[in-house]
Each structure stands twice: as structure tokens, then as C-alpha cells.
Amino acid sequence: GERIAISGYAPRLNTVREGEASAPARRGTAVDWNLEGKYLVERGDTFTVVDVDTGKQFRATMIGGYNHADIEPLTASDTNIMKSLFRTWQWSPRAVVLYHNGANIAASLSGMPHGVDTVENGVNGHFDLYMKNSTSHSSTTSKVYIQQHQNMVMKAAGQ
């Protein structure tokens, strides 16, 4: 009964429409990463990230990712806002909403910079952004960590 996506040939869902929202919100729609999310947010896209608990916002860009989005804050100011959400850099994810092209998408953001770094923003590394049914890039990632992300996505969707 599982749905799988074969790049370019997968049935795509349309749970959000571009332009349906006029501003970032603290609740978003749960969008399946494999069937819709990876087609809504692509490498090089810039968007607003809204923290569900505090309402704080910062700008970020997607630098890559296949099983989830790898993102970086755009500027040092954006990095400072993001770090204020986590207090110290940490893997524990937070519920966030991604506002892109007039759509509010429920997501989950980790706060630990790691790996590739492409933006001059005051931090070395990128961050993991999960949507519904996103998973890790590594087979050794804890199932608990992946479930924490899914729980935060559902929180961001108001569920």
C-alpha cells in the first residue's frame, strides 16, 4: 500500500497551491516530501522559515538534498535568528513552517550545522529540513531522530 516516487514519473499530489497564502503563518499544510514537497522547493530556491512556537522568521535557501532538504540561512542576521531558536546548535528538531511562493508548508528543522557549506552566513555547514515522510540521507540515522522530525511536522500542521 506504500506510494513510491520514481523521479519524474511519480503521481504528484497537490495539497497546496502556490499563491494561496499572502503571508507566512505559524501553521502549514503537511506535504508529502516524495510526492509533492521536493517539487515545490528545489535547489537554489529562497524562502522564509517561521518557527511555530515563537513566530520568529528568517530567510534560507535550499542547497540540495534528496531524502530531505538541506538548507542554509541566507545571511549572518538570519543565522542569528535561527540560532536564537535553538539557544545552542543541536540535533533536536523544531516545528517550523516553510513559506514559499505563497504556500505555507509544515516542516521540521534540525539545529546542528554539518557537512557542506555554500553561503557566507556566519556558520559552517547546512541544516536538515524535513517534510512529511522525509527521511535521512544515511541508513545509520536513528529511527527516533526521524520520528522526532515527523512529530514536529505534524505539530507544524496543527495535528
Side-chain angles (χ1 to χ4, degrees):
E2 269 187 52
R3 291 176 141 186
I4 62 169
I6 300 170
S7 188
Y9 299 99
R12 294 189 185 154
L13 298 178
N14 292 305
T15 54
V16 296
R17 287 186 319 274
E18 292 182 351
E20 67 185 3
S22 59
R26 288 170 77 170
R27 289 284 178 266
T29 301
V31 168
D32 188 285
W33 170 254
N34 296 300
L35 300 176
E36 186 176 11
K38 68 170 76 177
Y39 305 107
L40 293 172
V41 182
E42 298 177 334
R43 181 177 289 136
D45 285 353
T46 298
F47 43 84
T48 300
V49 177
V50 181
D51 182 67
V52 167
D53 290 335
T54 66
K56 291 182 180 180
Q57 300 180 18
F58 64 93
R59 302 281 290 152
T61 185
M62 181 175 169
I63 64 162
Y66 185 76
N67 295 327
H68 61 261
D70 294 329
I71 71 165
E72 288 188 76
L74 277 184
T75 67
S77 177
D78 292 309
T79 297
N80 289 337
I81 294 167
M82 182 181 171
K83 188 168 186 180
S84 76
L85 301 174
F86 292 95
R87 296 196 178 121
T88 61
W89 294 129
Q90 59 183 284
W91 286 107
S92 297
R94 292 185 66 90
V96 297
V97 173
L98 183 88
Y99 179 69
H100 183 54
N101 291 336
N104 283 299
I105 301 167
S108 175
L109 178 66
S110 73
M112 181 61 76
H114 62 283
V116 175
D117 177 50
T118 66
V119 178
E120 280 295 323
N121 59 9
V123 66
N124 293 320
H126 66 271
F127 300 87
D128 297 341
L129 183 108
Y130 280 51
M131 292 180 197
K132 181 179 177 185
N133 295 324
S134 291
T135 190
S136 171
H137 297 315
S138 169
S139 61
T140 61
T141 301
S142 144
K143 289 180 181 181
V144 170
Y145 175 71
I146 295 168
Q147 187 60 53
Q148 287 173 336
H149 272 293
Q150 293 309 308
N151 294 345
M152 291 295 109
V153 171
M154 291 299 102
K155 178 179 177 179
Q159 299 175 18

